[in-house]
Amino acid sequence: MNRLLQDLRIVEVSAFVAAPLGGMTMAQMGAEVIRIDPLGGGIDFTRWPVTRAGASLYWAGLNKAKRSLALALDKPEGREIARAIITAPGPGAGIFLTNLPPSRALDFTTLQAARTDLIMLRLVGNRDGSAAVDYTVNAASGFPLVTGPGGEPVNHVLPAWDIAAGLYLATGLLAAERHRSRTGKGQEVVVALSDVMLATVGNLGYIGDVQINGTARPAIGNDLYGSFGRDFATADGRRIMIIALTRRQWRAIGEATGLAGRLAMIGPMMDVDLDTEAGRYEARDAIGALLARWCASLSLDEIRRAFAGTGVLWGQFQDFLQLVRDDPRCSEANPLFAAVDQPGIGRYLVPGLPLDFAAAPRSTPRPAPVLGEHTDIVLSEVLGLSSAEIGRLHDEGIVAGPDGR
Amino acid sequence: MNRLLQDLRIVEVSAFVAAPLGGMTMAQMGAEVIRIDPLGGGIDFTRWPVTRAGASLYWAGLNKAKRSLALALDKPEGREIARAIITAPGPGAGIFLTNLPPSRALDFTTLQAARTDLIMLRLVGNRDGSAAVDYTVNAASGFPLVTGPGGEPVNHVLPAWDIAAGLYLATGLLAAERHRSRTGKGQEVVVALSDVMLATVGNLGYIGDVQINGTARPAIGNDLYGSFGRDFATADGRRIMIIALTRRQWRAIGEATGLAGRLAMIGPMMDVDLDTEAGRYEARDAIGALLARWCASLSLDEIRRAFAGTGVLWGQFQDFLQLVRDDPRCSEANPLFAAVDQPGIGRYLVPGLPLDFAAAPRSTPRPAPVLGEHTDIVLSEVLGLSSAEIGRLHDEGIVAGPDGR
């Protein structure tokens, strides 16, 4: 949380990961982000992981620092209020971020009629408007079939396409707002989740690999493609990654393990130059055989001591419990984090934005709102409604506050 | 490629995925991005995938639309030239993006002395400056131990942390430039790759899960966590994902497969409400058993016909070859793509930016430069050097052109 974008107001009607992450990224740089949800919450309001009482840790994680307005988007008056909030005046307002299908009366043309310089960021599944989610886009990407040992597809658990799409939305929002601040002109910015995947597959060279080489990279388990790196078991049942991308990292492995002499025998044995990435990749099984025996003879702590200060590029595998309980980076010793009281959930370690701006120092991460927490204040501040009018909207079930009514 | 940021100049000294992707994202919105590499190329210049002749499809993919300057960064005069280019005057210039260690005489303090409003974006491995790459950060994230069937860690193949970091860099760059255009003040913006991972683990609720619930999500293969979705084999040896996040998607599965009646028996059998995500998750093996039999009796084409127009959320798995050869989204029918002549490689399908800006229409994606392609023009345009001076720099091995000299 910093104050860099404090003159911006963004209205978000969203669900799941991508659009909420885009909005949260803006909120974490100080923008006022108003998330409008249907009464009772949107389709992501109870997504897992949840607490034993059913409160969504996922929803809380992706909506930090936002304001929450609960609104009957299924009623004409609810949609009218949403339109009024989205298109309210103000030089930094008039920015709408959504992954709703365009059919819900919050389309660009309607909104632009109310505010000509509207900026609308819209995430769609496929470019043609058909549905796609991280799971289907990932299946099509080619990655699951080269993840793990091969043969069977292995899905990622990290929703990587959603995360990339959310950050493209944040980038696109700032680029469009920059354009508006210079020209006075708004615009619609559309990104398709499947295009995020396709662009990334292309950016990493895999389309060229098929079209130029006529081949595709194989499934090679946890081995690095085109260089040396893989996982190893330690004597105490842990796993580590050891990697050599550069010549210096490669030399460091030999020195730190005392295996430099033996490793050097692999070059002539395999007829490769181990000072090149391609040579180490070609000889990876032989290199791995030596290192596996060395790792299996030592505990994780012994390996940590052997590698300390040597320039070996390595890391230990840990599960979520170990990450949270044992890794000092995942604690308040890291200024990324603070223990925050999240209403309805409790106090736990909450991350801020991973960007550190020297000119806009971090403040403590703000929790996610309670659904409807800011209904009244938004209606009053943004639309100038009186308390009598706000009361009527509650009575008629058009809006709800944090008590659900 | 559009013209949205055409008044910006960004200098990039980078390698691998994250910082190059951040810079390319700016270049694809029209910014002038000058990538400075050591003579002969940086440590990522030959990364795989490569062509048979050894040209890197990866490097070409991550450096599209940039200018390339080859410079002896290991010599004092080379570093002086880099400093001069980074800090050259101009309202949209003075932006430096790097993942170099700060020791190389291109640190913020030195550069800011030459240009007080300098913006510097710096990617580091860990916040304390120690090394971390996607492979080590991923090992620490907890995700590999819940990817696949469990027991053994399974690394992602998509460098998801690098991609997220690159897009955070793009977002941070635009936010810092916005701040400078309003206040005249530059700043250093730092992002640690491990913080990108930690923030994401927290954003998705997994830190809260450990600290509030005392538990962590298990490895469940390709099953969706907390909802229904998994992969199925078809009669013709293909694999598909079928997913039901919403009640409508759930109902559509029953209707499209003709299994609504049988699926409805699972509710009372398992004592769960199948209209809830948690209920479907609890009953996922029973649901999967029915759907697996149905999928195994039909070919992929038959399933496609059965699902067409029904609202079932599904997708087929495909490998990189199938994606590139068979998926119409991965072709010039998609305006994301164009066939581009990449010097040194050939003509293949190249993606642009996945963001579609209505006010800044796409033009054809530009290829990556040849290493050193823009050495002379940058020295002339940005530093105003004469051809005699440029000739001397070539003769003394301070710079090189596209011929490597």
Side-chain angles (χ1 to χ4, degrees):
Chain A
M1 186 75 221
N2 61 55
R3 310 292 332 151
L4 215 50
L5 304 180
Q6 61 181 325
D7 56 320
L8 291 185
R9 179 193 298 141
I10 294 146
V11 180
E12 182 191 310
V13 179
S14 71
F16 302 122
V17 176
L21 176 63
M24 184 168 74
T25 302
M26 297 296 112
Q28 290 177 317
M29 293 191 284
E32 179 190 0
V33 177
I34 301 170
R35 175 165 164 155
I36 302 180
D37 274 298
L39 305 184
I43 50 176
D44 58 345
F45 189 57
T46 58
R47 285 225 87 192
W48 286 29
V50 294
T51 65
R52 290 197 179 76
S56 173
L57 292 155
Y58 166 104
W59 197 93
L62 288 161
N63 293 294
K64 293 188 288 277
K66 297 179 189 173
R67 301 180 117 182
S68 171
L69 175 74
L71 186 63
L73 286 165
D74 57 340
K75 295 181 182 169
E77 190 172 1
R79 292 194 292 270
E80 197 50 58
I81 289 170
R83 277 199 288 271
I85 292 170
I86 292 165
T87 60
I95 305 176
F96 180 42
L97 170 62
T98 190
N99 64 327
L100 270 189
S103 55
R104 305 245 193 124
L106 295 174
D107 61 297
F108 182 70
T109 308
T110 308
L111 294 167
Q112 200 193 27
R115 177 164 176 155
T116 53
D117 68 347
L118 181 84
I119 294 170
M120 178 162 168
L121 283 290
R122 193 154 63 83
L123 176 72
V124 299
N126 289 308
R127 180 178 281 272
D128 65 5
S130 62
V133 295
D134 190 281
Y135 311 100
T136 59
V137 161
N138 190 47
S141 73
F143 284 102
L145 288 162
V146 293
T147 300
E152 307 277 293
V154 176
N155 287 347
H156 60 205
V157 170
L158 177 73
W161 305 117
D162 274 345
I163 289 164
L167 296 170
Y168 271 118
L169 286 168
T171 303
L173 191 158
L174 288 171
E177 196 275 332
R178 185 177 192 276
H179 181 74
R180 186 176 72 175
S181 73
R182 279 158 175 72
T183 65
K185 295 200 171 84
Q187 62 180 308
E188 189 178 29
V189 185
V190 180
V191 59
L193 187 67
S194 56
D195 279 356
V196 169
M197 175 276 281
L198 292 160
T200 303
V201 173
N203 292 343
L204 295 169
Y206 293 118
I207 294 175
D209 197 21
V210 171
Q211 294 196 331
I212 298 291
N213 296 333
T215 59
R217 62 156 284 167
I220 49 175
N222 288 341
D223 285 3
L224 257 65
Y225 182 56
S227 193
F228 182 77
R230 52 163 272 200
D231 65 314
F232 295 95
T234 69
D236 54 345
R238 295 294 298 269
R239 290 254 174 184
I240 62 170
M241 280 295 291
I242 301 178
I243 298 139
L245 300 172
T246 66
R247 192 179 306 190
R248 189 155 51 166
Q249 289 160 356
W250 170 243
R251 296 283 168 87
I253 291 172
E255 285 159 25
T257 58
L259 295 171
R262 292 172 188 272
L263 288 169
M265 296 176 197
I266 294 173
M269 171 193 128
M270 295 291 294
D271 191 22
V272 297
D273 178 359
L274 294 176
D275 280 340
T276 67
E277 289 196 276
R280 295 191 289 274
Y281 180 65
E282 175 75 17
R284 66 191 184 278
D285 289 339
I287 298 168
L290 269 180
L291 292 181
R293 194 170 65 179
W294 183 84
C295 290
S297 73
L298 298 170
S299 70
L300 178 61
D301 275 346
E302 289 168 331
I303 291 171
R304 183 180 291 115
R305 283 195 295 273
F307 286 166
T310 63
V312 172
L313 184 59
W314 76 289
Q316 68 196 63
F317 285 91
Q318 50 193 8
D319 63 23
F320 291 125
L321 289 162
Q322 291 163 328
L323 169 67
V324 174
R325 292 175 179 169
D326 304 337
D327 193 324
R329 296 174 298 185
C330 190
S331 76
E332 288 195 88
N334 183 345
L336 178 70
F337 285 108
V340 169
D341 286 308
Q342 176 61 54
I345 292 180
R347 188 173 179 83
Y348 62 103
L349 199 63
V350 167
L353 190 70
L355 292 160
D356 275 319
F357 292 91
R362 288 178 180 284
S363 54
T364 306
R366 285 221 309 268
V370 172
L371 187 72
E373 180 176 340
H374 305 96
T375 296
D376 290 5
I377 188 107
V378 167
L379 294 172
S380 159
E381 278 184 13
V382 178
L383 299 186
L385 298 192
S386 67
S387 30
E389 289 166 312
I390 294 171
R392 179 188 66 80
L393 292 171
H394 281 279
D395 292 344
E396 297 185 3
I398 305 294
V399 303
D403 58 355
R405 284 178 303 159
Chain B
M1 185 78 221
N2 61 55
R3 309 291 335 149
L4 215 50
L5 305 180
Q6 61 180 326
D7 57 319
L8 292 184
R9 179 193 298 140
I10 296 147
V11 180
E12 183 190 309
V13 180
S14 70
F16 301 121
V17 176
L21 176 64
M24 184 168 75
T25 302
M26 297 297 113
Q28 290 177 317
M29 293 190 284
E32 178 190 0
V33 177
I34 301 170
R35 175 164 164 155
I36 302 180
D37 274 298
L39 305 185
I43 50 175
D44 59 344
F45 190 55
T46 58
R47 286 225 89 192
W48 286 28
V50 294
T51 65
R52 288 195 181 78
S56 174
L57 293 155
Y58 166 103
W59 197 92
L62 288 161
N63 293 294
K64 294 187 288 278
K66 297 178 189 173
R67 302 179 116 184
S68 170
L69 176 73
L71 186 63
L73 286 165
D74 57 340
K75 294 182 182 168
E77 190 172 1
R79 292 194 292 271
E80 196 50 58
I81 289 171
R83 276 200 288 272
I85 293 170
I86 292 165
T87 59
I95 306 176
F96 180 42
L97 170 61
T98 190
N99 64 328
L100 272 188
S103 54
R104 307 248 192 123
L106 295 174
D107 62 296
F108 182 69
T109 307
T110 307
L111 294 167
Q112 200 192 27
R115 177 162 177 156
T116 53
D117 68 347
L118 181 84
I119 295 170
M120 178 162 167
L121 284 289
R122 193 155 62 83
L123 176 72
V124 298
N126 289 307
R127 178 177 283 271
D128 64 6
S130 61
V133 294
D134 190 281
Y135 312 101
T136 60
V137 161
N138 190 48
S141 74
F143 283 101
L145 287 161
V146 293
T147 300
E152 308 276 294
V154 176
N155 287 348
H156 60 204
V157 171
L158 178 74
W161 305 116
D162 275 345
I163 289 163
L167 296 170
Y168 271 120
L169 286 168
T171 302
L173 191 159
L174 288 171
E177 196 274 332
R178 185 178 192 275
H179 181 74
R180 186 176 73 174
S181 73
R182 280 160 174 72
T183 64
K185 295 200 172 82
Q187 60 179 310
E188 188 178 29
V189 185
V190 180
V191 60
L193 187 66
S194 58
D195 279 356
V196 169
M197 175 276 281
L198 292 159
T200 304
V201 173
N203 292 344
L204 294 169
Y206 293 119
I207 294 175
D209 196 21
V210 171
Q211 294 197 330
I212 298 292
N213 296 334
T215 58
R217 60 157 283 167
I220 49 175
N222 289 341
D223 284 3
L224 259 65
Y225 182 55
S227 194
F228 181 76
R230 53 163 271 200
D231 65 314
F232 295 95
T234 68
D236 52 346
R238 295 295 300 268
R239 290 251 176 187
I240 63 171
M241 281 293 293
I242 301 178
I243 298 140
L245 300 172
T246 66
R247 191 179 306 192
R248 189 155 48 166
Q249 288 160 357
W250 170 242
R251 296 283 167 88
I253 292 172
E255 285 160 25
T257 58
L259 294 171
R262 291 172 190 271
L263 288 168
M265 296 177 197
I266 295 172
M269 172 193 128
M270 297 289 295
D271 192 23
V272 297
D273 178 358
L274 294 176
D275 280 340
T276 66
E277 289 196 277
R280 294 191 290 273
Y281 180 64
E282 176 76 17
R284 66 191 183 278
D285 289 340
I287 297 167
L290 268 180
L291 293 181
R293 194 170 66 180
W294 184 85
C295 290
S297 73
L298 298 170
S299 70
L300 178 60
D301 275 345
E302 289 167 332
I303 291 170
R304 183 179 291 114
R305 282 195 295 274
F307 286 167
T310 62
V312 172
L313 184 59
W314 76 289
Q316 68 195 64
F317 285 91
Q318 51 192 10
D319 62 24
F320 291 124
L321 288 162
Q322 291 164 328
L323 169 67
V324 174
R325 292 175 179 170
D326 304 338
D327 193 325
R329 296 174 298 185
C330 190
S331 76
E332 288 194 89
N334 182 345
L336 177 70
F337 285 107
V340 170
D341 286 308
Q342 176 62 53
I345 292 180
R347 188 173 180 84
Y348 62 102
L349 199 64
V350 166
L353 190 70
L355 293 160
D356 275 319
F357 292 90
R362 287 178 179 283
S363 53
T364 306
R366 286 221 309 268
V370 172
L371 187 72
E373 179 176 341
H374 304 96
T375 296
D376 290 5
I377 187 108
V378 167
L379 294 172
S380 159
E381 278 185 12
V382 178
L383 299 186
L385 298 192
S386 66
S387 31
E389 289 167 311
I390 294 171
R392 179 187 68 78
L393 293 170
H394 281 279
D395 293 344
E396 297 186 3
I398 305 295
V399 303
D403 58 355
R405 286 179 300 162

